[in-house]
Amino acid sequence: MEEFKTYVLKEPIGVVGLITPWNYPLLMATWKVAPALAAGCTAVLKPSELASLTCLELGAICEEVGLPSGVLNIITGLGPDAGAPIASHPHVDKIAFTGSTATGKTIMTAAAQMVKPVSLELGGKSPLVIFDDVADIDKAVEWAMFGCFFNSGQVCSATSRLLLHEKIAERFLDRLVEWAKNIKISDPLEEGCRLGSVISKGQYEKIKKFISTARSEGATILHGGDRPKHLGKGFFIEPTIITDVSTSMQIWREEVFGPVICVKVFKTESEAVELANDTHYGLAGGVISDDLERCERIAKVIHSGIVWINCSQPTLVQAPWGGNKRSGFGRELGEW
């Protein structure tokens, strides 16, 4: 009917609370701060208490370039003291959170009391499926390592469940162990370092407990699992490869957030998909095969927000980022 006109007005949502983790402290902050400011919102940023300095530096830079006072506010402190009041505050209009699933549930509960929208980017236990038609085994081994050992495994999207076709499993694992032995573990400021320490004593102890539980449940620590012999202090853990894993084990089901990969072998494509989707999480996944039709087919049936084909972890800012199931909802990056 021509006498009527309708249009959509896009408006800033208001004050947004941005709660970020310690694993990529500045990057995670910019993923949230930049779109919030670009949309015309004001923001309250609460970085992790384990890694606040770069976010404070970001605040200083914003002040230096003339961002008006009060547009970006940075509050440091512990979750219960600094994060929780942001989530429950009646004048904060939206929460964007990246962190653990347990904390995400707490934030969602607090926000629900005011029917406040949230976007949550939570934990993951992502699969990397590798088929027997891969011609370049070493390239696939490199992606498997990068997918789980990068940033000392402290990556929400780490492909920490490695699924190998039975025809290549033995050869693949031999190469994976060989490569893992050659990773230079050292002070990150040292030339050639490829694996640094984990964030804290608490995280170090947690990872060690995951490894000891896997061993006690009957899994095999094929490589690693200990402090590197040449490093007497610091929270360093060798890249760890765990085999003989059953789907009921803790190491298969729970996010470790450390340089620990667990391995299962499959026979058929349908079995691979079933194992890949055998998780409460749904952040990411990957498939490596020389058959691109198979890759597309597998990518469509893995239940996750992100699927990598013939790689693991490249993150392009033009594409949306986020998961489903217990990995959260909402998207970052891109138009989203």
Side-chain angles (χ1 to χ4, degrees), residues 18 20-21 24-35 45 55 58:
L18 312 172
T20 54
Y24 295 97
L26 182 60
L27 184 72
M28 294 292 97
T30 56
W31 276 26
K32 290 174 168 46
V33 170
L45 170 64
C55 289
L58 176 66

Side-chain angles (χ1 to χ4, degrees), residues 7 18 58 63 72 74 83 104 107 167 169 181 212 243 257 333:
Y7 66 97
L18 312 172
L58 176 66
E63 200 169 35
L72 174 62
I74 301 170
I107 286 170
K167 286 183 182 173
K181 283 177 180 173
S212 67
T243 57
F257 228 63
L333 303 183

Side-chain angles (χ1 to χ4, degrees), residues 189-206:
L189 298 177
E190 211 175 281
E191 191 67 38
C193 173
R194 286 290 172 269
L195 195 73
S197 66
V198 297
I199 181 79
S200 65
K201 185 179 181 181
Q203 189 64 17
Y204 176 80
E205 297 294 350
K206 183 181 160 194

Side-chain angles (χ1 to χ4, degrees), residues 140-205:
V141 167
E142 193 173 1
W143 279 121
M145 289 200 336
F146 186 78
C148 190
F149 300 153
F150 179 64
N151 207 38
S152 300
Q154 299 166 125
V155 185
C156 53
S157 59
T159 40
S160 57
R161 291 185 301 133
L162 179 61
L163 306 176
L164 299 173
H165 192 278
E166 61 177 4
K167 286 183 182 173
I168 60 163
E170 190 177 343
R171 185 158 59 106
F172 193 99
L173 287 171
D174 286 347
R175 297 296 290 142
L176 185 61
V177 169
E178 200 176 317
W179 278 60
K181 283 177 180 173
N182 290 320
I183 295 173
K184 181 175 178 179
I185 311 167
S186 69
D187 182 324
L189 298 177
E190 211 175 281
E191 191 67 38
C193 173
R194 286 290 172 269
L195 195 73
S197 66
V198 297
I199 181 79
S200 65
K201 185 179 181 181
Q203 189 64 17
Y204 176 80
E205 297 294 350

Side-chain angles (χ1 to χ4, degrees), residues 41-333:
C41 298
T42 57
V44 182
L45 170 64
K46 190 274 176 199
S48 166
E49 66 276 10
L50 294 175
S52 301
L53 290 178
T54 47
C55 289
L56 292 173
E57 190 67 20
L58 176 66
I61 291 165
C62 287
E63 200 169 35
E64 198 179 300
V65 300
L67 190 72
S69 178
V71 173
L72 174 62
N73 310 274
I74 301 170
I75 296 176
T76 60
L78 299 173
D81 304 325
I86 295 171
S88 61
H89 199 286
H91 294 152
V92 173
D93 301 295
K94 179 188 169 153
I95 298 293
F97 169 76
T98 298
S100 73
T101 298
T103 306
K105 288 177 182 177
T106 304
I107 286 170
M108 197 171 170
T109 302
Q113 309 314 306
M114 272 156 248
V115 201
K116 182 185 300 187
V118 295
S119 49
L120 304 173
E121 202 260 85
L122 308 176
K125 193 73 183 176
S126 302
L128 181 63
V129 184
I130 303 182
F131 285 92
D132 58 323
D133 60 359
V134 171
D136 191 344
I137 285 273
D138 275 345
K139 192 71 181 166
V141 167
E142 193 173 1
W143 279 121
M145 289 200 336
F146 186 78
C148 190
F149 300 153
F150 179 64
N151 207 38
S152 300
Q154 299 166 125
V155 185
C156 53
S157 59
T159 40
S160 57
R161 291 185 301 133
L162 179 61
L163 306 176
L164 299 173
H165 192 278
E166 61 177 4
K167 286 183 182 173
I168 60 163
E170 190 177 343
R171 185 158 59 106
F172 193 99
L173 287 171
D174 286 347
R175 297 296 290 142
L176 185 61
V177 169
E178 200 176 317
W179 278 60
K181 283 177 180 173
N182 290 320
I183 295 173
K184 181 175 178 179
I185 311 167
S186 69
D187 182 324
L189 298 177
E190 211 175 281
E191 191 67 38
C193 173
R194 286 290 172 269
L195 195 73
S197 66
V198 297
I199 181 79
S200 65
K201 185 179 181 181
Q203 189 64 17
Y204 176 80
E205 297 294 350
K206 183 181 160 194
I207 295 165
K208 293 280 283 182
K209 183 79 168 63
F210 268 110
I211 295 167
S212 67
T213 300
R215 189 182 278 117
S216 68
E217 287 181 344
T220 300
I221 312 303
L222 188 65
H223 176 72
D226 292 309
R227 167 188 293 284
K229 291 180 176 58
H230 65 287
L231 293 167
K233 63 176 186 175
F235 306 123
F236 292 92
I237 296 179
E238 295 172 310
T240 302
I241 302 161
I242 302 179
T243 57
D244 301 316
V245 172
S246 75
T247 57
S248 62
M249 288 181 183
Q250 182 199 45
I251 199 68
W252 176 264
R253 307 221 68 84
E254 293 184 28
E255 182 179 43
V256 177
F257 228 63
V260 179
I261 195 166
C262 63
V263 185
K264 274 196 78 62
V265 174
F266 66 89
K267 290 182 180 179
T268 65
E269 189 175 303
S270 60
E271 185 189 2
V273 170
E274 190 178 334
L275 286 167
N277 288 331
D278 180 32
T279 174
H280 293 307
Y281 295 108
L283 182 54
V287 55
I288 296 180
S289 167
D290 287 353
D291 180 345
L292 289 180
E293 281 187 15
R294 170 188 270 157
C295 288
E296 291 286 346
R297 196 163 61 239
I298 299 288
K300 286 176 180 173
V301 292
I302 289 179
H303 299 156
S304 65
I306 302 141
V307 182
W308 287 289
I309 292 176
N310 289 328
C311 60
S312 178
Q313 304 309 314
T315 304
L316 308 179
V317 295
Q318 297 89 340
W321 179 272
N324 51 33
K325 298 197 279 188
R326 290 187 199 174
S327 291
F329 53 84
R331 294 293 180 266
E332 297 189 289
L333 303 183

Side-chain angles (χ1 to χ4, degrees), residues 11-22:
E11 299 177 306
I13 199 166
V15 179
V16 291
L18 312 172
I19 302 174
T20 54
W22 47 256

